[in-house]
Amino acid sequence: TQLVTTYTQDMANEITSQLATRVFFRPRKARDAQDLSDALDDTTMVEKRTDDRGNTMVRELGRPLMSVRDIFN
C-alpha cells in the first residue's frame, strides 16, 4: 500500500491501528481536495487589534482547518 511504500510496514500498522485514524494523501483533483477540506471542518482564528487609543478589539473568524490551497501545497 501507499503507507507501506512511504513508511515501513511497522509504521503503517501503527498509523492505521489508532482509533479513528484516517490517512489522506494529496489528491489530484480540485473536487477531491474540496471534499477533504469540507470533511476536516473549520477552525476559529482569533484576531486582536489595538488602536491608537489603546482600545483592544477581538474578533473571531471561522476558516477551514485546511483550505484547498493548503492541501495542494
Side-chain angles (χ1 to χ4, degrees):
T1 67
Q2 228 174 348
L3 275 176
V4 175
T5 303
T6 304
Y7 305 102
T8 64
Q9 181 66 52
D10 289 339
M11 287 300 296
N13 290 341
E14 186 68 29
I15 290 168
T16 58
S17 70
Q18 302 301 315
L19 294 176
T21 296
R22 293 172 52 185
V23 179
F24 297 95
F25 288 88
R26 184 183 302 168
R28 294 182 182 179
K29 297 178 182 174
R31 181 68 215 156
D32 294 336
Q34 184 63 56
D35 290 344
L36 178 55
S37 178
D38 294 344
L40 291 172
D41 211 9
D42 293 337
T43 187
T44 303
M45 304 290 290
V46 177
E47 182 181 279
K48 293 182 183 181
R49 289 188 180 176
T50 304
D51 64 17
D52 295 337
R53 297 181 188 170
N55 298 321
T56 301
M57 294 167 278
V58 178
R59 185 168 75 163
E60 292 186 359
L61 305 166
R63 72 174 281 309
L65 185 61
M66 287 187 78
S67 68
V68 171
R69 174 183 261 167
D70 295 332
I71 292 168
F72 278 123
N73 289 331

